[in-house]
Amino acid sequence: MSVDLNFWRYKENFARDHIKVYQTACCEGELMEELETLPIDDILKKIAVAFSDWTIQNSGKYFEKEGYGAFQIFTTPQIVRFDCYDMQEADINVLMDILFDFGCPLYDPQISTRFDSWTDR
């Protein structure tokens, strides 16, 4: 089973249209005025450390481990998207926790839900 996980942060005082952000920023890779710039290099470093025992390819954008599945990372300066393939729930939770640490809640397009309450402080 495959799933995609999407993360971004809104700027203060901007309208929040999760579906538009998902389609425009996460799927088409376009930059959007209402989104903050993320520390992408720092995020990728944390992912590489957390999954250091996985095979890492494509300049640190594709990870796989036999029996554990695989994931591919797509980024722009404003979003992080993981395309996960046959991954275990615990490993998916690690990815979500890393982005949570950067103040980025999960948007799950499979259920059209953004979990803002997890990161609202």
Side-chain angles (χ1 to χ4, degrees), residues 4-55:
D4 68 277
L5 311 172
N6 304 270
F7 302 87
W8 63 81
R9 279 193 315 238
Y10 285 106
K11 291 179 180 175
E12 293 287 326
N13 301 317
F14 273 86
R16 296 178 176 211
D17 185 341
H18 309 319
I19 293 173
K20 180 181 175 189
V21 170
Y22 171 71
Q23 292 170 342
T24 304
C26 298
C27 295
E28 297 173 13
E30 294 181 26
L31 299 181
M32 299 183 71
E33 182 180 1
E34 58 264 39
L35 300 182
E36 289 187 16
T37 298
L38 300 176
I40 297 297
D41 289 340
D42 294 339
I43 292 169
L44 294 176
K45 286 175 188 173
K46 282 191 93 166
I47 294 166
V49 168
F51 291 90
S52 62
D53 62 334
W54 289 45
T55 301

Side-chain angles (χ1 to χ4, degrees), residues 89-119:
E89 184 177 343
D91 293 321
I92 289 173
N93 287 340
V94 170
L95 294 173
M96 290 189 299
D97 287 345
I98 290 170
L99 272 294
F100 175 81
D101 289 345
F102 287 93
C104 297
L106 168 68
Y107 175 75
D108 184 343
Q110 289 78 215
I111 57 173
S112 298
T113 301
R114 180 165 154 102
F115 296 92
D116 287 298
S117 63
W118 291 3
T119 57

Side-chain angles (χ1 to χ4, degrees), residues 32-85:
M32 299 183 71
E33 182 180 1
E34 58 264 39
L35 300 182
E36 289 187 16
T37 298
L38 300 176
I40 297 297
D41 289 340
D42 294 339
I43 292 169
L44 294 176
K45 286 175 188 173
K46 282 191 93 166
I47 294 166
V49 168
F51 291 90
S52 62
D53 62 334
W54 289 45
T55 301
I56 304 171
Q57 302 171 14
N58 194 20
S59 300
K61 297 285 183 133
Y62 183 80
F63 293 67
E64 72 178 326
K65 184 174 181 182
E66 189 171 334
Y68 289 84
F71 64 94
Q72 185 168 337
I73 306 169
F74 171 71
T75 64
T76 72
Q78 297 177 321
I79 64 97
V80 176
R81 174 183 167 145
F82 299 103
D83 294 305
C84 305
Y85 310 99

